Amino acid sequence: MTPTPPSPKPLLARFPAEVLAAYERHRTQGDPDAVQEVVIAAVIDYCPGRPNQRPPVGDSTRLIEDLAYDSVSIAELVFFLEDLFDLTISNEDIMQVRTIADLRACVIRKLAPKAPGA
Amino acid sequence: MSPWVTGVGLITPVGNDRASVEASLRCGNHGIAPVEFLGNPDLPVKVAGTIKGFAVDSPNWRDWAWPAGAAFPKEVLRGLAPHGLYALCAVEQALAAAGLAPGDVAEDPGTGLYCASAGSAMLLHHNLAMMRAVRGARGNPMGVVSSIAGTLNFNLAAHYRITGTVCGFVSACASSSHALGYAIDDLRLGRLRRAIVVGAEELNADSLLPFAHMRALSRQSEPALASRPFDRERDGFVGAGGAAALILEVPESARGQTPLAVAAGWGQAADGYSVAAPHPEGAGLLLAMGRALADARIDAGAIDHVSAHATSTPVGDRAEAVALGRLFGSRGLRPSVTATKALTGHGLSLAGVMQAAFCVLSVAGGFMPGNPHLEAAGPECDGLELPRRTVDRAPTAILSNSCGFGGSNVCHVIGTPGRFTG
């Protein structure tokens, strides 16, 4: 018997209610702005540093240079996004990601073939 | 040259700092509490040596809680197993006790790190189940370094930026005694001037229940009766989690610190007998004790206290009692023997360095813990001095025993700075 993949709710359990709501908007309506909100929440969550720190982030924020992401943090972030959105992000994909805007575009591109109702 | 112990850190079932652990040892207060694993009240494992003030049941570090005062960054926490958090807290304590800041050991080629743990069966299981759920397509990037048996070495060496040496030891319940022994050797050989020795184990269904399936655990539900080393009614060990850390330093490099105790010598030997059971006459342990005494350049008559490995299993305690009888009783020697696992339970890989740390407290505090759970000693203990209550007398030389699966036996001599010149 193949175990069922983890449902997104436990993955998002530690996030604020508005992030859960954004995920639901993405899931039910395919809202790309909602994806942005979830991606930013994940970037902040996996950002190195003290657990309660909240760095300022925007579209042009760079993961490595501005947020001190290292290769392991990036791998953790990618693993989380893959699990949450049930998609696969290759090493080649991630090598192209420098900013939050790049990451959001990457996730939306990967989601495109399966969006809404797929 | 015998290294000095200049710092101790303790996260144990009987206290999470030196003062509370010493008070528990002096008063005979145990840290064993009722437990239930996997929501199954029918399991025969009813009690364990639990760690208070921590919540680390979740496989996700984000759900953990630990005592106030320690703030660790995410990039440290993400690689840790539950017992890694205990170890980190113990090392922080030990460094502070030795008057060292983390920056003092960072990138210092004279500082080495010696670790022991069995890894995290819980995280291993959790991470592999996640991987299998997606048929191998992805997995937790920190899954390996947080769960396999070297997890303490990997994480602590990176966090403290250790450059002298980093290594790990896997000899089951003798693991952290091996770590301590090889740290002593590297200091004596002039390779290092300072060593951090740490052992840790977590306590959960995955770490403990497999021992119940070996029929190695006590089935007792009464916390004060479950761990009864050397008692004729003993019926198995009580599991425990926690961490213990020691800072060892070459005396000339000890920065004017007053030593708490001296790591005077150690010895090891193997049983060559069974994968899990000890040699029935404690042959390897007897040889290891003799080697430790020779290494410390003392004879058995100089030992005034023994910290026994005794875990409260029928065969293990018997083998150790026989070996102790041969070393001491047969020569009319009666050092005070204690088995502190009556109070803590058995910390597996952690046990050796936790015991060594307790010996350091005995030497520094001038007392020898008793055996408060002992009612009637088994017949194999005839001739052994097993005081029920703490002996308010300062030991000058303590022998501390550890035995692990596969017949691994390691003994340490820990003594006063006055007795052992360093």
Side-chain angles (χ1 to χ4, degrees), chain B residues 67-130:
Chain B
F72 304 117
K74 287 183 208 171
E75 54 270 38
V76 174
L77 293 165
R78 69 189 181 194
L80 295 178
H83 71 281
L85 181 62
Y86 297 154
L88 187 59
C89 292
V91 172
E92 292 278 296
Q93 265 183 43
L95 288 171
L100 291 164
D104 295 330
V105 300
E107 295 172 21
D108 167 28
T111 298
L113 176 65
Y114 299 76
C115 302
S117 92
S120 177
M122 178 181 84
L123 286 191
L124 205 54
H125 176 208
H126 175 78
N127 290 327
L128 294 178
M130 284 179 77

Side-chain angles (χ1 to χ4, degrees), chain B:
Chain B
M1 188 278 292
S2 299
W4 287 359
V5 179
T6 57
V8 174
L10 292 158
I11 303 294
T12 79
V14 293
N16 290 345
D17 57 61
R18 179 182 166 184
S20 56
V21 170
E22 184 170 332
S24 294
L25 293 175
R26 281 184 185 273
C27 300
N29 295 336
H30 70 78
I32 294 168
V35 290
E36 183 179 296
F37 292 113
L38 304 178
N40 184 355
D42 298 328
L43 294 174
V45 184
K46 306 293 187 195
V47 295
T50 54
I51 296 298
K52 291 79 180 172
F54 286 75
V56 289
D57 290 342
S58 167
N60 190 334
W61 65 264
R62 293 158 192 279
D63 302 328
W64 297 348
W66 57 89
F72 304 117
K74 287 183 208 171
E75 54 270 38
V76 174
L77 293 165
R78 69 189 181 194
L80 295 178
H83 71 281
L85 181 62
Y86 297 154
L88 187 59
C89 292
V91 172
E92 292 278 296
Q93 265 183 43
L95 288 171
L100 291 164
D104 295 330
V105 300
E107 295 172 21
D108 167 28
T111 298
L113 176 65
Y114 299 76
C115 302
S117 92
S120 177
M122 178 181 84
L123 286 191
L124 205 54
H125 176 208
H126 175 78
N127 290 327
L128 294 178
M130 284 179 77
M131 183 194 79
R132 284 171 175 267
V134 292
R135 294 190 296 146
R138 56 182 175 266
N140 178 358
M142 304 309 283
V144 176
V145 296
S146 63
S147 62
I148 69 172
T151 181
L152 291 188
N153 343 342
F154 314 150
N155 283 282
L156 297 179
H159 176 57
Y160 290 108
R161 308 208 317 271
I162 299 296
T163 55
T165 187
V166 57
C167 49
F169 294 83
V170 183
S171 49
C173 306
S175 300
S176 58
S177 282
H178 269 127
L180 177 58
Y182 284 102
I184 292 168
D185 282 359
D186 274 351
L187 293 169
R188 285 171 162 178
L189 288 167
R191 292 170 173 160
L192 299 171
R193 61 194 171 107
R194 183 186 300 131
I196 303 167
V197 182
V198 58
E201 287 282 5
E202 56 206 51
L203 177 74
N204 47 48
D206 304 279
S207 71
L208 189 58
L209 292 184
F211 291 98
H213 307 145
M214 296 179 81
R215 309 293 190 271
L217 298 186
S218 172
R219 299 169 66 89
Q220 272 281 351
S221 56
E222 170 53 50
L225 293 178
S227 187
R228 281 187 286 182
F230 296 125
D231 196 284
R232 66 173 73 226
E233 298 295 325
R234 65 186 183 268
D235 71 336
F237 79 81
V238 171
L246 296 177
I247 308 297
L248 267 63
E249 298 189 69
V250 172
E252 307 83 74
S253 304
R255 308 159 291 115
Q257 288 284 304
T258 303
L260 300 170
V262 173
W266 75 291
Q268 60 169 324
D271 283 347
Y273 175 76
S274 161
V275 64
H279 185 281
E281 309 296 317
L285 180 59
L286 182 60
L287 183 56
M289 289 192 288
R291 287 175 170 170
L293 294 172
D295 190 41
R297 302 181 186 208
I298 56 174
D299 60 33
I303 295 292
D304 40 24
H305 184 46
V306 175
S307 180
H309 175 72
T311 65
S312 193
T313 62
V315 293
D317 291 13
R318 182 191 178 280
E320 186 168 16
V322 170
L324 290 173
R326 291 215 174 131
L327 182 62
F328 297 108
S330 66
R331 300 180 209 182
L333 302 171
R334 291 179 69 90
S336 162
V337 177
T338 185
T340 51
K341 292 185 182 78
L343 305 180
T344 59
H346 183 15
L348 307 168
S349 298
L350 149 72
V353 71
M354 182 162 70
Q355 252 175 258
F358 292 170
C359 294
V360 171
L361 300 192
S362 285
V363 166
F367 71 101
M368 296 182 264
N371 298 279
H373 299 172
L374 188 62
E375 289 179 0
E380 63 278 1
C381 300
D382 287 352
L384 294 187
E385 182 72 18
L386 291 162
R388 292 344 184 231
R389 289 171 171 274
T390 292
V391 178
D392 284 318
R393 197 172 68 242
T396 58
I398 307 176
L399 193 65
S400 184
N401 290 342
S402 298
C403 309
F405 283 156
S408 192
N409 301 281
V410 183
C411 306
H412 283 276
V413 176
I414 292 162
T416 57
R419 176 67 180 78
F420 298 95
T421 52

